[in-house]
Amino acid sequence: MTTELADPLAGRSALVTGAASGIGRAVAERLQAAGVRVLAADLRPDPDGPGVAFEADLTDPGANAAAVAAAVERFGRLDIVVANAGVQHVAPIEEFPLERWQTILALMLTSPFLLARSAWPALRESPSGRFIVIASAHALAASPYKAAYVSAKHGVLGLVKTLALEGAAHGIRTTAVCPAYVRTPLVEHQIADQARVHGLSEEEVTEQVLLAPQAIKQLIEPSEVAEVVAFLAGPGGASFTGVPVTMDQGWTAR
Ligand code: NAD
């Protein structure tokens, strides 16, 4: 006779942002497979993707509160928030458009702040509240031509540390997953942009620029990041809070 043990995440509910593509999509799929009910928020939601598709432009402050409210209303609880939506812009500092700076800060720093602010009451109610940001190795180290991205990612690590201190008394754990380069559309677009800025071919950019700081010269798969998120969301993640969870192929070992 075999006994099937329920996944410890089964029955929980989650809000995942940027869930229509790349890492967010893999996270939504992984959590859903564990029995988590997922609200999949995105600027361009995919009705055929994992979870319940929810359209939200998270650079709009009101959309963050609306996404949290939709998850709570639909599922009656909210246990896990994965603040993942992000974009990149590659340009030298003297040409960096203010409008791109503002969009990147709004999406990758202000949106996680607003999501936490709105989700806090529901996360406090949860037996194991988790606020997980998909940050980046760029929360810990810089690269040229990415002023806004690197600033937003460093900033969001500060937010995660602050939330960990505030959430501790309420059982809420907050972490910043910090991957090196992951095989997603965001990176595929960047290879083309970087080729232009550096005056190199796309193959040269991948080998000489993108993967140059990594000890292991391989792209990470979105499913690998999703596995780390599932671990952090589950019982094994209980003692991780206020920290970067670095999966950077040896980048920051130097
Ligand atoms: P992606 O481009 O594949 O997906 C990003 C998703 O965010 C898209 O579905 C997009 O529609 C959505 N989005 C963009 N603007 C939005 C907005 N205003 N409101 C709501 N949704 C919006 O990108 P990805 O590579 O999966 O990146 C996801 C996160 O992981 C980002 O925060 C990124 O910085 C981070 N990250 C990526 C890598 C990498 O190498 N790909 C490495 C480290 C960290």
Side-chain angles (χ1 to χ4, degrees):
M1 196 178 86
T2 57
T3 316
E4 290 233 354
L5 288 175
D7 191 297
L9 289 174
R12 303 251 193 270
S13 110
L15 166 61
V16 180
T17 73
S21 173
I23 296 170
R25 189 184 187 96
V27 168
E29 277 168 359
R30 176 64 180 82
L31 292 179
Q32 186 165 268
V36 178
R37 289 166 297 168
V38 177
L39 194 82
D42 205 285
L43 187 59
R44 287 176 287 274
D46 179 359
D48 301 322
V52 177
F54 184 82
E55 186 173 345
D57 178 353
L58 298 166
T59 62
D60 168 5
N64 291 277
V68 170
V72 172
E73 194 174 310
R74 176 129 193 159
F75 306 130
R77 61 190 288 174
L78 183 59
D79 306 282
I80 305 158
V81 176
V82 183
N84 162 79
V87 291
Q88 176 62 280
H89 188 85
V90 179
I93 187 66
E94 73 273 21
E95 293 167 18
F96 209 102
L98 174 61
E99 172 272 329
R100 294 302 289 157
W101 167 274
Q102 286 170 332
T103 298
I104 287 174
L105 271 285
L107 183 60
M108 288 153 58
L109 182 54
T110 307
S111 166
F113 156 71
L114 293 169
L115 290 169
R117 201 173 68 151
S118 294
W120 220 241
L123 295 179
R124 252 194 333 242
E125 292 291 306
S126 167
S128 58
R130 297 285 198 274
F131 191 87
I132 301 169
V133 177
I134 306 302
S136 166
H138 280 120
L140 305 163
S143 295
Y145 313 123
K146 296 184 179 176
Y149 188 91
V150 170
S151 301
K153 294 299 191 187
H154 275 66
V156 84
L157 179 56
L159 174 70
V160 159
K161 291 179 181 179
T162 308
L163 297 179
L165 301 182
E166 293 190 33
H170 310 291
I172 304 170
R173 315 286 196 261
T174 74
T175 45
V177 178
C178 294
Y181 287 100
V182 184
R183 193 190 310 277
T184 71
L186 181 139
V187 162
E188 281 152 11
H189 297 147
Q190 240 184 96
I191 292 173
D193 285 352
Q194 292 259 26
R196 192 172 31 79
V197 172
H198 290 278
L200 299 171
S201 74
E202 296 197 2
E203 293 69 34
E204 286 169 330
V205 164
T206 306
E207 283 165 27
Q208 295 172 27
V209 181
L210 226 57
L211 302 184
Q214 301 183 190
I216 299 172
K217 311 286 182 195
Q218 275 172 17
L219 291 171
I220 299 168
E221 298 301 328
S223 59
E224 296 177 68
V225 183
E227 209 52 55
V228 171
V229 171
F231 168 76
L232 291 170
S239 49
F240 290 76
T241 200
V243 286
V245 179
T246 308
M247 44 187 308
D248 71 354
Q249 309 274 40
W251 182 331
T252 57
R254 285 175 206 284

